[in-house]
Amino acid sequence: MKKIISIILSVSIFFVLSSCGFAAENTSADFTMTMQIDNPVMTVNGTQQEIDPGRGTAPVIVNDRTLVPIRAIIEAMGGTVEWNGDTQTASLTYGGDEIRLTIDSMTAYLNDKANTLDTASTIINERTMLPIRFIAESFKFNVDWSENERLITITKAADEPVETPAPTAAPADKDSRNNVLIAYFSRAGENWEVGYVDKGNTAVIADYISEKVDADVFEITPVDPYPESYNETLTRVQNERDNDERPEFNGEIENFDQYDTVFLGYPIWYGGLPMIMYTFLEKYDMSGKTVIPFSTHGGSGWGSTKSELNTLCPDAEFIDGFSTAGTNARSAQDEVNSWLDGLDLNLNNTENKEGNNMAELLYQGHASFRLTTGEGKVIYIDPYAGEGYDKEADLILVTHQHPDHNKIDLVPQSDDCVIFQNSDAITDDGYKTLDFTGVHIEPVQAYNQNHDVKQWCVGYLVTVNGKTLYFAGDTSKTDQMAELNDKNIEYAFLPIDGHFNMDIPEAVECAELIGAKHTVPIHMSPGELFDRERAEQFVTPSALIVEAGEVIEL
């Protein structure tokens, strides 16, 4: 039986504090590296060398984790390492891929995509500890562990060349051919709290999507079907995970390269992907494709599956997915339709509108924004500050009633303008969502010592062109922020003035929880449009400074 363990790497502080990179020449031969617990010597392609020259550092096991120094490993692989002492961030690069990890953070960034780790990077005995499996597999190496020999082996075949990926060609016109695929795995039979069903929960969601989207459909069916019994299936699933198995599936997808958008569906099993999804994703390369996940679960939410998908499909572009409890699947069609409308990907059976342009977000200063969609609809968020109030509003979003967030009379309004304020968003049962001409608005928690969680303020998740933006409102850290990590947020806008919202250290903590690709500091000083000195104090791997008057293209 192959035992999978989380192996952790370390990097010496004397090395990283030099703030410079180290590189070794790439080799074209097969790569094999072995290290053994309590042995300060490793073997690289048959040649022995010290792991940490002159210091005698050897791999050790601490709390069931194997710790080894990273410097020699990354150099031997042919990569580079850089350390930023100000941000406590290590940057690892190899063959055009980059990984950024920050001390005490559960979030790692692979090519700027956020991934949630099962353990945070940390410093122990002047060593920075980083997770080897995530790093090695992200760099397309294999990692194995021998319990009997207490041996770590990292390998890469010679026919896996290291090269900087070429730019992906633009997809063909969506109207000229069917370039959308729905691929899913689902299991019928006895399901958790659902009972016996002829159609699996994920298959039900796949049907809803296929009714709405013009797409080909491929069901991933196992060669060896799973038992109808729920408990018997659990036993088999656990064995597959323990043995890192790759269950075979029936059939093939013809002309897979023609698809540039793939809806990928699966149930959440033991908090992760079913192993048959590994089989599928290792056979069909998602590089350059837009992947939209959907899943059903028994209460775990996405679990670790988004991180697994990022590892399996490092060169895919992920769009905000849909996940629901299996018990809700058969009543979720309206929710699925709203989600699909919010993606705004022109995937249904209507012709694309000519002249659709990229959406633009103007930061007006303080906490004020103007969003112009590709269809020309204009949305203002918390109007108050700066310039850019020359376009008529089709929708105005207000997070709360402080005068520096709700100066609605500044905004010229179209005849059918919709004003959606915190009082509209907050209901007795929670929050009311809004779908507006291809834009999906989801209110979320916003509160602090001055704002009651149920009465005063909301934040907004706004999804346009398949990208989700988070406008936090006046808030401190909320109970809901950890859940936002599952939203694949492209831009998060966090207040940092520390008066009616979070200060800079708390904003950094929230940025790590949310895991957005870019985190933009706003609402920096009372009465100020923008404060660059304060913005530059907001230091986190995802930080992006946007000045008042600048435009973000979406």
Side-chain angles (χ1 to χ4, degrees):
M1 179 180 293
K2 178 179 176 182
K3 181 178 180 183
I4 304 173
I5 63 172
S6 295
I7 308 171
I8 299 186
L9 298 172
S10 69
V11 57
S12 61
I13 294 300
F14 93 92
F15 148 63
V16 293
L17 290 182
S18 64
S19 297
C20 63
F22 300 82
E25 293 184 2
N26 293 324
T27 64
S28 59
D30 289 351
F31 176 89
T32 302
M33 173 188 293
T34 58
M35 293 167 287
Q36 194 168 35
I37 301 303
D38 298 327
N39 187 342
V41 176
M42 66 180 178
T43 301
V44 181
N45 294 332
T47 302
Q48 291 189 336
Q49 65 186 68
E50 285 188 89
I51 294 173
D52 193 0
R55 298 176 66 91
T57 307
V60 296
I61 294 180
V62 179
N63 295 328
D64 294 326
R65 297 292 189 264
T66 302
L67 311 182
V68 298
I70 195 174
R71 174 185 177 181
I73 293 171
I74 295 298
E75 286 187 354
M77 287 177 173
T80 65
V81 181
E82 293 186 356
W83 172 257
N84 187 321
D86 293 333
T87 63
Q88 295 282 283
T89 299
S91 298
L92 318 178
T93 59
Y94 175 82
D97 293 315
E98 180 188 39
I99 298 171
R100 299 196 316 274
L101 306 101
T102 301
I103 299 304
D104 295 329
S105 171
M106 294 288 288
T107 302
Y109 293 87
L110 171 60
N111 298 329
D112 290 327
K113 292 181 180 179
N115 296 264
T116 302
L117 305 173
D118 61 359
T119 185
S121 302
T122 189
I123 294 177
I124 301 176
N125 296 331
E126 297 186 344
R127 295 292 188 271
T128 302
M129 307 302 179
L130 308 176
I132 179 59
R133 183 166 294 278
F134 172 78
I135 293 170
E137 293 184 350
S138 295
F139 287 158
K140 301 178 179 65
F141 285 77
N142 301 307
V143 181
D144 204 356
W145 164 255
S146 171
E147 180 70 32
N148 293 334
E149 299 177 281
R150 291 156 61 86
L151 190 72
I152 308 153
T153 303
I154 300 175
T155 59
K156 188 179 183 70
D159 58 358
E160 301 176 45
V162 178
E163 58 184 21
T164 302
T168 302
D173 177 23
K174 291 182 183 293
D175 290 334
S176 66
R177 58 185 173 82
N178 194 349
N179 61 346
V180 183
L181 174 70
I182 302 170
Y184 71 94
F185 165 67
S186 189
R187 177 189 159 275
E190 184 184 12
N191 274 249
W192 172 255
E193 293 190 344
V194 177
Y196 280 90
V197 291
D198 293 330
K199 183 185 289 288
N201 301 324
T202 307
V204 172
I205 304 301
D207 284 350
Y208 295 154
I209 297 171
S210 66
E211 290 177 16
K212 183 84 171 174
V213 175
D214 184 13
D216 293 336
V217 179
F218 181 81
E219 182 176 1
I220 304 166
T221 60
V223 171
D224 181 13
Y226 287 92
E228 287 196 358
S229 165
Y230 177 73
N231 288 331
E232 290 178 13
T233 298
L234 287 183
T235 300
R236 175 170 160 183
V237 168
Q238 186 64 65
N239 288 336
E240 289 176 349
R241 294 179 69 85
D242 288 346
N243 293 315
D244 197 23
E245 293 181 13
R246 298 295 187 268
E248 296 181 1
F249 60 88
N250 296 302
E252 292 187 355
I253 301 174
E254 295 184 2
N255 301 319
F256 181 71
D257 289 345
Q258 81 176 51
Y259 301 107
D260 53 52
T261 300
V262 179
F263 285 85
L264 190 67
Y266 50 85
I268 309 292
W269 283 358
Y270 282 102
L273 286 175
M275 298 310 295
I276 197 170
M277 297 303 296
Y278 278 74
T279 313
F280 179 81
L281 292 171
E282 288 168 359
K283 179 173 182 177
Y284 293 108
D285 184 5
M286 298 290 169
S287 296
K289 300 184 187 297
T290 297
V291 178
I292 309 174
F294 63 96
S295 69
T296 58
H297 59 82
S300 65
W302 288 103
S304 65
T305 63
K306 288 194 173 183
S307 175
E308 292 176 76
L309 289 177
N310 279 323
T311 300
L312 287 164
C313 313
D315 297 317
E317 178 185 356
F318 287 93
I319 296 295
D320 194 22
F322 178 86
S323 186
T324 189
T327 52
N328 298 332
R330 285 158 179 79
S331 60
Q333 186 163 15
D334 288 345
E335 192 176 356
V336 171
N337 289 342
S338 295
W339 163 63
L340 292 171
D341 289 339
L343 296 180
D344 194 28
L345 292 177
N346 293 315
L347 295 176
N348 57 16
N349 291 314
T350 61
E351 293 185 1
N352 292 338
K353 297 180 180 178
E354 294 185 2
N356 279 3
N357 298 313
M358 187 176 294
E360 293 184 344
L361 181 69
L362 168 66
Y363 177 43
Q364 297 168 288
H366 194 58
S368 302
F369 296 86
R370 186 189 73 198
L371 173 64
T372 306
T373 71
E375 291 75 21
K377 296 297 182 181
V378 179
I379 303 171
Y380 289 88
I381 299 99
D382 280 354
Y384 163 74
E387 300 179 352
Y389 295 97
D390 54 321
K391 295 184 177 182
E392 285 192 350
D394 297 293
L395 172 66
I396 300 174
L397 300 177
V398 176
T399 61
H400 64 292
Q401 297 304 312
H402 280 174
D404 60 336
H405 290 261
N406 71 341
K407 205 167 182 181
I408 295 174
D409 57 0
L410 267 181
V411 183
Q413 301 174 26
S414 65
D415 293 339
D416 54 355
C417 178
V418 175
I419 300 175
F420 192 75
Q421 305 190 61
N422 55 302
S423 57
D424 302 303
I426 299 172
T427 69
D428 292 338
D429 298 327
Y431 298 99
K432 175 184 176 182
T433 61
L434 176 67
D435 289 294
F436 183 83
T437 61
V439 180
H440 181 67
I441 295 102
E442 178 183 350
V444 295
Q445 289 179 348
Y447 58 85
N448 56 35
Q449 60 182 352
N450 298 298
H451 294 161
D452 181 83
V453 63
K454 293 184 178 180
Q455 297 179 2
W456 262 97
C457 188
V458 295
Y460 290 113
L461 295 175
V462 178
T463 302
V464 58
N465 287 356
K467 296 181 179 179
T468 298
L469 317 177
Y470 172 43
F471 302 94
D474 272 9
T475 190
S476 297
K477 177 183 173 183
T478 73
D479 294 336
Q480 194 179 16
M481 280 184 177
E483 300 173 16
L484 300 185
N485 191 275
D486 290 336
K487 298 292 186 177
N488 285 340
I489 294 171
E490 188 80 10
Y491 291 92
F493 302 94
L494 300 185
I496 62 169
D497 74 11
H499 290 270
F500 289 98
N501 47 60
M502 61 190 80
D503 58 14
I504 291 175
E506 187 178 13
V508 170
E509 179 185 1
C510 292
E512 299 294 341
L513 278 176
I514 296 164
K517 184 174 182 179
H518 306 289
T519 307
V520 180
I522 63 168
H523 204 307
M524 302 171 198
S525 300
E528 298 290 334
L529 284 181
F530 178 79
D531 185 337
R532 172 162 284 277
E533 181 178 355
R534 189 164 180 81
E536 289 177 348
Q537 296 174 32
F538 177 70
V539 179
T540 188
S542 63
L544 174 67
I545 295 178
V546 178
E547 295 197 19
E550 288 188 352
V551 172
I552 298 172
E553 291 187 342
L554 303 170

